[in-house]
mmCIF file of all heavy atoms in Angstrom:
data_model
loop_
_atom_site.group_PDB
_atom_site.id
_atom_site.type_symbol
_atom_site.label_atom_id
_atom_site.label_comp_id
_atom_site.label_asym_id
_atom_site.label_seq_id
_atom_site.Cartn_x
_atom_site.Cartn_y
_atom_site.Cartn_z
ATOM 1 N N ALA G 17 112.665 106.469 100.651
ATOM 2 C CA ALA G 17 113.026 105.984 102.060
ATOM 3 C C ALA G 17 114.494 105.667 101.976
ATOM 4 O O ALA G 17 115.276 105.952 102.929
ATOM 5 C CB ALA G 17 112.264 104.690 102.274
ATOM 6 N N GLY G 18 114.997 105.198 100.833
ATOM 7 C CA GLY G 18 116.470 104.881 100.735
ATOM 8 C C GLY G 18 117.308 106.159 100.621
ATOM 9 O O GLY G 18 118.450 106.177 100.941
ATOM 10 N N GLN G 19 116.668 107.371 100.262
ATOM 11 C CA GLN G 19 117.385 108.582 100.200
ATOM 12 C C GLN G 19 117.411 109.261 101.655
ATOM 13 O O GLN G 19 117.975 110.340 101.714
ATOM 14 C CB GLN G 19 116.737 109.527 99.182
ATOM 15 C CG GLN G 19 116.852 109.042 97.743
ATOM 16 C CD GLN G 19 116.208 110.040 96.834
ATOM 17 O OE1 GLN G 19 116.398 111.268 96.962
ATOM 18 N NE2 GLN G 19 115.515 109.519 95.923
ATOM 19 N N GLY G 20 116.863 108.635 102.647
ATOM 20 C CA GLY G 20 117.023 109.252 103.931
ATOM 21 C C GLY G 20 115.703 109.795 104.473
ATOM 22 O O GLY G 20 115.773 110.558 105.458
ATOM 23 N N TYR G 21 114.566 109.503 103.952
ATOM 24 C CA TYR G 21 113.322 109.976 104.472
ATOM 25 C C TYR G 21 112.341 108.933 104.790
ATOM 26 O O TYR G 21 111.136 108.867 104.405
ATOM 27 C CB TYR G 21 112.700 110.912 103.315
ATOM 28 C CG TYR G 21 113.543 112.089 102.948
ATOM 29 C CD1 TYR G 21 114.044 112.130 101.587
ATOM 30 C CD2 TYR G 21 113.908 113.030 103.799
ATOM 31 C CE1 TYR G 21 114.890 113.179 101.190
ATOM 32 C CE2 TYR G 21 114.761 114.131 103.378
ATOM 33 C CZ TYR G 21 115.208 114.201 102.178
ATOM 34 O OH TYR G 21 116.071 115.132 101.726
ATOM 35 N N PRO G 22 112.735 107.874 105.560
ATOM 36 C CA PRO G 22 111.806 106.774 105.879
ATOM 37 C C PRO G 22 110.614 107.196 106.599
ATOM 38 O O PRO G 22 109.539 106.629 106.517
ATOM 39 C CB PRO G 22 112.697 105.825 106.597
ATOM 40 C CG PRO G 22 113.833 106.729 107.159
ATOM 41 C CD PRO G 22 114.050 107.693 106.227
ATOM 42 N N ALA G 23 110.832 108.143 107.631
ATOM 43 C CA ALA G 23 109.732 108.585 108.386
ATOM 44 C C ALA G 23 108.605 109.275 107.585
ATOM 45 O O ALA G 23 107.374 108.934 107.778
ATOM 46 C CB ALA G 23 110.171 109.540 109.509
ATOM 47 N N GLU G 24 108.923 110.046 106.621
ATOM 48 C CA GLU G 24 108.007 110.734 105.775
ATOM 49 C C GLU G 24 107.249 109.745 104.885
ATOM 50 O O GLU G 24 106.076 109.878 104.721
ATOM 51 C CB GLU G 24 108.734 111.797 104.874
ATOM 52 C CG GLU G 24 109.174 113.087 105.687
ATOM 53 C CD GLU G 24 110.507 112.937 106.235
ATOM 54 O OE1 GLU G 24 110.950 111.761 106.446
ATOM 55 O OE2 GLU G 24 111.097 113.979 106.683
ATOM 56 N N MET G 25 108.069 108.737 104.427
ATOM 57 C CA MET G 25 107.367 107.769 103.545
ATOM 58 C C MET G 25 106.450 106.910 104.286
ATOM 59 O O MET G 25 105.374 106.532 103.779
ATOM 60 C CB MET G 25 108.514 106.863 102.915
ATOM 61 C CG MET G 25 109.491 107.600 102.055
ATOM 62 S SD MET G 25 108.647 108.666 100.810
ATOM 63 C CE MET G 25 108.723 110.275 101.544
ATOM 64 N N LYS G 26 106.763 106.593 105.536
ATOM 65 C CA LYS G 26 105.797 105.786 106.363
ATOM 66 C C LYS G 26 104.484 106.558 106.556
ATOM 67 O O LYS G 26 103.455 105.941 106.489
ATOM 68 C CB LYS G 26 106.455 105.460 107.692
ATOM 69 C CG LYS G 26 105.606 104.519 108.561
ATOM 70 C CD LYS G 26 106.409 104.156 109.898
ATOM 71 C CE LYS G 26 105.521 103.272 110.705
ATOM 72 N NZ LYS G 26 106.278 102.803 111.976
ATOM 73 N N LYS G 27 104.590 107.828 106.776
ATOM 74 C CA LYS G 27 103.401 108.704 106.984
ATOM 75 C C LYS G 27 102.631 108.778 105.697
ATOM 76 O O LYS G 27 101.342 108.661 105.675
ATOM 77 C CB LYS G 27 103.778 110.095 107.473
ATOM 78 C CG LYS G 27 104.385 110.126 108.856
ATOM 79 C CD LYS G 27 104.851 111.547 109.168
ATOM 80 C CE LYS G 27 105.671 111.569 110.415
ATOM 81 N NZ LYS G 27 106.232 112.959 110.632
ATOM 82 N N LEU G 28 103.259 108.874 104.565
ATOM 83 C CA LEU G 28 102.513 108.972 103.294
ATOM 84 C C LEU G 28 101.826 107.647 103.026
ATOM 85 O O LEU G 28 100.732 107.602 102.470
ATOM 86 C CB LEU G 28 103.500 109.266 102.196
ATOM 87 C CG LEU G 28 103.949 110.756 102.096
ATOM 88 C CD1 LEU G 28 105.012 110.969 101.082
ATOM 89 C CD2 LEU G 28 102.789 111.654 101.820
ATOM 90 N N GLN G 29 102.510 106.529 103.248
ATOM 91 C CA GLN G 29 101.853 105.190 103.054
ATOM 92 C C GLN G 29 100.589 104.997 103.829
ATOM 93 O O GLN G 29 99.675 104.315 103.475
ATOM 94 C CB GLN G 29 102.867 104.107 103.403
ATOM 95 C CG GLN G 29 104.102 103.971 102.295
ATOM 96 C CD GLN G 29 105.084 102.922 102.771
ATOM 97 O OE1 GLN G 29 105.383 102.832 103.886
ATOM 98 N NE2 GLN G 29 105.513 102.167 101.806
ATOM 99 N N ALA G 30 100.541 105.735 104.984
ATOM 100 C CA ALA G 30 99.452 105.609 105.922
ATOM 101 C C ALA G 30 98.206 106.370 105.360
ATOM 102 O O ALA G 30 97.055 106.089 105.952
ATOM 103 C CB ALA G 30 99.794 106.033 107.372
ATOM 104 N N ARG G 31 98.418 107.164 104.365
ATOM 105 C CA ARG G 31 97.250 108.002 103.916
ATOM 106 C C ARG G 31 96.067 107.207 103.402
ATOM 107 O O ARG G 31 94.987 107.629 103.303
ATOM 108 C CB ARG G 31 97.722 109.042 102.903
ATOM 109 C CG ARG G 31 98.459 110.148 103.496
ATOM 110 C CD ARG G 31 98.845 111.224 102.440
ATOM 111 N NE ARG G 31 97.707 111.876 101.915
ATOM 112 C CZ ARG G 31 96.981 112.829 102.557
ATOM 113 N NH1 ARG G 31 97.401 113.294 103.698
ATOM 114 N NH2 ARG G 31 95.925 113.415 101.977
ATOM 115 N N GLY G 32 96.340 105.977 103.025
ATOM 116 C CA GLY G 32 95.188 105.130 102.617
ATOM 117 C C GLY G 32 94.321 104.712 103.726
ATOM 118 O O GLY G 32 93.210 104.178 103.557
ATOM 119 N N GLY G 33 94.738 105.021 104.972
ATOM 120 C CA GLY G 33 94.028 104.629 106.188
ATOM 121 C C GLY G 33 93.096 105.745 106.593
ATOM 122 O O GLY G 33 92.659 106.612 105.831
ATOM 123 N N GLY G 34 92.780 105.742 107.900
ATOM 124 C CA GLY G 34 91.877 106.758 108.402
ATOM 125 C C GLY G 34 90.434 106.308 108.245
ATOM 126 O O GLY G 34 90.138 105.414 107.487
ATOM 127 N N PRO G 35 89.512 106.987 108.964
ATOM 128 C CA PRO G 35 88.120 106.537 108.817
ATOM 129 C C PRO G 35 87.487 106.800 107.540
ATOM 130 O O PRO G 35 87.866 107.717 106.835
ATOM 131 C CB PRO G 35 87.436 107.479 109.906
ATOM 132 C CG PRO G 35 88.337 108.618 110.016
ATOM 133 C CD PRO G 35 89.706 108.182 109.830
ATOM 134 N N GLN G 36 86.686 105.845 107.071
ATOM 135 C CA GLN G 36 85.908 105.919 105.855
ATOM 136 C C GLN G 36 84.584 106.650 106.068
ATOM 137 O O GLN G 36 84.156 106.774 107.187
ATOM 138 C CB GLN G 36 85.669 104.520 105.333
ATOM 139 C CG GLN G 36 86.988 103.681 105.154
ATOM 140 C CD GLN G 36 87.920 104.202 103.991
ATOM 141 O OE1 GLN G 36 87.422 104.568 103.016
ATOM 142 N NE2 GLN G 36 89.241 104.207 104.257
ATOM 143 N N VAL G 37 83.968 107.090 104.992
ATOM 144 C CA VAL G 37 82.609 107.672 105.031
ATOM 145 C C VAL G 37 81.729 106.606 105.661
ATOM 146 O O VAL G 37 81.705 105.387 105.286
ATOM 147 C CB VAL G 37 82.153 108.081 103.684
ATOM 148 C CG1 VAL G 37 80.677 108.507 103.764
ATOM 149 C CG2 VAL G 37 82.983 109.202 103.200
ATOM 150 N N GLY G 38 80.984 107.068 106.675
ATOM 151 C CA GLY G 38 80.128 106.133 107.437
ATOM 152 C C GLY G 38 80.673 105.603 108.603
ATOM 153 O O GLY G 38 79.951 105.108 109.567
ATOM 154 N N ASP G 39 82.064 105.699 108.870
ATOM 155 C CA ASP G 39 82.642 105.295 110.063
ATOM 156 C C ASP G 39 82.429 106.300 111.149
ATOM 157 O O ASP G 39 82.279 107.553 110.894
ATOM 158 C CB ASP G 39 84.122 105.104 109.869
ATOM 159 C CG ASP G 39 84.520 103.903 109.029
ATOM 160 O OD1 ASP G 39 83.639 103.021 108.802
ATOM 161 O OD2 ASP G 39 85.685 103.732 108.616
ATOM 162 N N VAL G 40 82.493 105.865 112.412
ATOM 163 C CA VAL G 40 82.377 106.719 113.554
ATOM 164 C C VAL G 40 83.833 107.506 113.544
ATOM 165 O O VAL G 40 84.834 106.875 113.392
ATOM 166 C CB VAL G 40 82.244 106.062 114.914
ATOM 167 C CG1 VAL G 40 82.373 106.982 116.025
ATOM 168 C CG2 VAL G 40 80.854 105.406 114.910
ATOM 169 N N ALA G 41 83.783 108.895 113.553
ATOM 170 C CA ALA G 41 85.025 109.626 113.618
ATOM 171 C C ALA G 41 85.727 109.327 114.955
ATOM 172 O O ALA G 41 85.182 109.406 116.010
ATOM 173 C CB ALA G 41 84.728 111.049 113.445
#
């Protein structure tokens, strides 16, 4: 993020999210 890629890093950090198995898609 400090090297100039904050948007990409924010998206990568979000990868822990999203629906889990058993959740309504």
Side-chain angles (χ1 to χ4, degrees):
Q19 292 181 43
Y21 303 113
E24 286 88 341
M25 295 310 98
K26 185 175 181 180
K27 293 173 187 175
L28 284 174
Q29 286 175 321
R31 284 185 65 81
Q36 305 290 319
V37 171
D39 289 349
V40 174

